[in-house]
Amino acid sequence: MGWKDIARRVDRAGVRKFREDAGAVLYRPQEGTPFEPASGGVFTAAHEVVTLNETEGTEVSSTAPVLGIHLPDFAIPPKRGDGVDINGEAYAVDDIKPDSEGQGAMLVLKKLPKD
């Protein structure tokens, strides 16, 4: 068993343990039909996001909600501006950080105001 197989098995186990309950995540692409990702996703309300300014060598740290996803659950790749409902709260995808294996991604979200 190679490293990629081990990483996928560990990832799947983590998602099974920490994912949101069935029906808790509704992905609303800008183009296409809303759907519930098969793996649900792993939601963190306040994830630390570090941005590096390479020209000045400085870091900026902030917090943002994130949703860890499995890309194979998505018929269309996620895009900035897509909507996500998580446990009744509305968010928009602000950034997408794919993993190095191409199987998962972290969606950095922006909470939307309630209507």
Side-chain angles (χ1 to χ4, degrees), residues 37-96:
S39 61
V42 177
F43 178 68
T44 304
H47 177 78
E48 185 173 11
V49 178
V50 178
T51 305
L52 301 175
N53 180 335
E54 294 180 16
T55 57
E56 296 177 18
T58 59
E59 294 182 0
V60 176
S61 179
S62 62
T63 58
V66 297
L67 181 67
I69 61 164
H70 276 144
L71 290 171
D73 290 347
F74 290 71
I76 309 167
K79 293 186 210 167
R80 288 186 75 179
D82 285 353
V84 186
D85 295 338
I86 304 169
N87 297 317
E89 297 288 336
Y91 299 87
V93 176
D94 192 43
D95 197 9
I96 302 155

Side-chain angles (χ1 to χ4, degrees), residues 4-32:
K4 285 185 179 184
D5 291 329
I6 294 169
R8 285 187 191 127
R9 291 178 73 183
V10 169
D11 184 51
R12 282 191 216 120
V15 167
R16 279 194 306 272
K17 178 70 175 166
F18 298 108
R19 72 180 173 199
E20 296 301 308
D21 292 333
V25 177
L26 179 66
Y27 196 83
R28 295 180 290 109
Q30 295 173 71
E31 301 169 11

